[in-house]
Amino acid sequence: MAQDKKNGLTYADAGVDIDAGGRLVEKIKPMVRATRRPGADSEIGGFGGLFDLKAAGFSDPVLVAANDGVGTKLKIAIEADKHDTVGIDLVAMCVNDLVVQGAEPLFFLDYFATGKLDPDQGAQIVSGIAAGCTQAGCALIGGETAEMPGMYHGDDYDLAGFAVGAAERGALLPTGDIATGDVILGLASSGVHSNGFSLVRRIVRDAGLNWSDRAPFSPDRTLGEALLEPTRIYVKPLLATLKAAWGIKALAHITGGGFPENIPRVLPDHLSAEIDLEAIDVPPVFSWLAKTGGVAETEMLSTFNCGIGMIAVVASGEAAQIAALLQQAGEKVTMLGQIAPRRAAGVTYRGELAL
């Protein structure tokens, strides 16, 4: 007689391998341990992560939180089977949003969801997250791995990140004294970062290229490798400069929406940013995207960072010193323009991008 399986199903029969999750945790424990910092020194595996603000050296802190994802850049990582850098993107998109408010990133948690958990692939992803946390000086204190067959198909997965930072009360940005004549500094990006990849993927598809092809704008790498260049993390140079000098009044992370969406977010309603586009050293990837996709300059500026991943609004008399400090910390700094009275848009342009 055939065996009655009505009551014999297991979670594994439904497509969820609990043992794989356990193997992943063991693989990533050394990576997580390497991100420890003052305030966070416990092991992962509990029901929540702990952080001691007093041990981190704060006396009267204000907490700042941010969360984000990597977007459709993940599709390139999945299709190119390269997973070791998207974790850096995940951290960068969160911690760069903390530092623009004057906050020091303290700890990070991730959410990794997939249809079928591959512990080796998961470990590659977490290795990037740990690397990003190390670059930002924050601790990876926990996360969640969700295996959800039926929700994600094939090799698809998704990532979300959550970061918490702190600043001493009164040290938050932007300051309340941004004024006409303040100087706008631009910090170079590492590439496309993590925004605009639905358009990037459309351009690549229409050009008939594969991720394994040589990148037309960087022939020493494959197209997949070049486009997966991780988002630059600006935290340590900016925090060091904020501590060493007075004069930074506002910072803006250039993410989705580009210049016209992100810069006005840190300006009073009566002021605007005048940007000299010809001052920007546009990386080859953006020229290639614009020419190959027939993308207009206005669309480039509202979709991509175009070579500037972070801007700083600084007092005019302090601009040279702040630029020098940032350069000493490893940043490529460009004098982009100045703050002016607002007449129409929050951002106005001089010249043209060198696309």
Side-chain angles (χ1 to χ4, degrees):
M1 185 175 69
Q3 184 179 1
D4 182 3
K5 291 189 177 182
K6 183 182 296 184
N7 297 314
L9 288 172
T10 66
Y11 210 4
D13 293 330
V16 178
D17 185 352
I18 294 176
D19 291 338
R23 292 195 298 274
L24 175 58
V25 170
E26 290 306 311
K27 283 177 176 289
I28 66 176
K29 274 186 176 180
M31 306 173 196
V32 174
R33 198 176 295 126
T35 70
R36 285 176 171 173
R37 53 150 293 156
D41 58 5
S42 59
E43 290 278 0
I44 60 169
F47 286 94
L50 305 177
F51 194 91
D52 185 341
L53 279 168
K54 187 175 181 180
F58 288 89
S59 58
D60 186 19
V62 176
L63 294 179
V64 183
N67 73 297
D68 212 331
V70 183
T72 60
K73 187 174 186 176
L74 287 180
K75 291 294 290 183
I76 300 178
I78 292 163
E79 293 168 7
D81 194 22
K82 187 179 188 304
H83 312 280
D84 59 337
T85 59
V86 288
I88 299 175
D89 291 294
L90 184 67
V91 175
M93 295 303 290
C94 296
V95 298
N96 284 341
D97 280 355
L98 294 184
V99 76
V100 298
Q101 296 174 86
E104 175 188 347
L106 301 177
F107 59 87
F108 189 87
L109 300 99
D110 69 276
Y111 175 78
F112 168 41
T114 183
K116 181 66 176 176
L117 182 60
D118 178 342
D120 290 330
Q121 180 197 66
Q124 290 178 52
I125 293 167
V126 176
S127 73
I129 296 172
C133 286
T134 299
Q135 289 182 33
C138 64
L140 178 57
I141 65 169
E144 172 70 8
T145 301
E147 188 175 28
M148 297 189 287
M151 279 289 283
Y152 297 89
H153 300 287
D155 296 324
D156 285 347
Y157 62 84
D158 200 8
L159 294 173
F162 310 85
V164 173
E168 294 290 359
R169 196 175 305 275
L172 291 169
L173 296 176
T175 62
D177 61 343
I178 300 173
T180 298
D182 285 342
V183 172
I184 301 170
L185 303 178
L187 277 60
S189 67
S190 57
V192 184
H193 284 187
S194 298
N195 298 102
F197 274 89
S198 293
L199 179 54
V200 170
R201 290 168 47 246
R202 173 65 181 269
I203 291 169
V204 170
R205 186 192 74 188
D206 289 352
L209 296 173
N210 297 310
W211 305 125
S212 58
D213 294 338
R214 291 288 109 184
F217 53 89
S218 182
D220 59 330
R221 295 186 289 178
T222 66
L223 184 57
E225 290 169 345
L227 289 174
L228 287 171
E229 180 69 32
T231 306
R232 187 166 182 82
I233 293 176
Y234 299 96
V235 169
K236 290 183 177 179
L238 285 173
L239 288 177
T241 303
L242 284 166
K243 289 178 181 177
W246 171 88
I248 295 180
K249 299 184 178 185
L251 298 166
H253 185 198
I254 307 303
T255 55
F259 286 180
E261 291 293 328
N262 290 290
I263 298 177
R265 292 168 67 180
V266 300
L267 300 180
D269 290 341
H270 66 284
L271 296 176
S272 68
E274 291 186 347
I275 302 294
D276 179 7
L277 295 179
E278 294 181 359
I280 300 173
D281 184 10
V282 181
V285 60
F286 297 109
S287 300
W288 180 80
L289 288 168
K291 291 174 182 175
T292 306
V295 185
E297 180 185 80
T298 53
E299 186 70 15
M300 292 294 295
L301 286 166
S302 63
T303 305
F304 302 112
N305 66 64
C306 296
I308 301 295
M310 181 73 69
I311 70 105
V313 178
V314 305
S316 59
E318 309 298 323
Q321 180 191 11
I322 289 169
L325 287 170
L326 288 168
Q327 288 167 341
Q328 290 168 16
E331 297 299 327
K332 180 181 176 182
V333 183
T334 301
M335 295 284 186
L336 276 186
Q338 64 181 3
I339 300 299
R342 185 175 301 202
R343 296 180 178 86
V347 180
T348 59
Y349 306 106
R350 297 192 307 269
E352 296 181 350
L353 281 175
L355 294 171

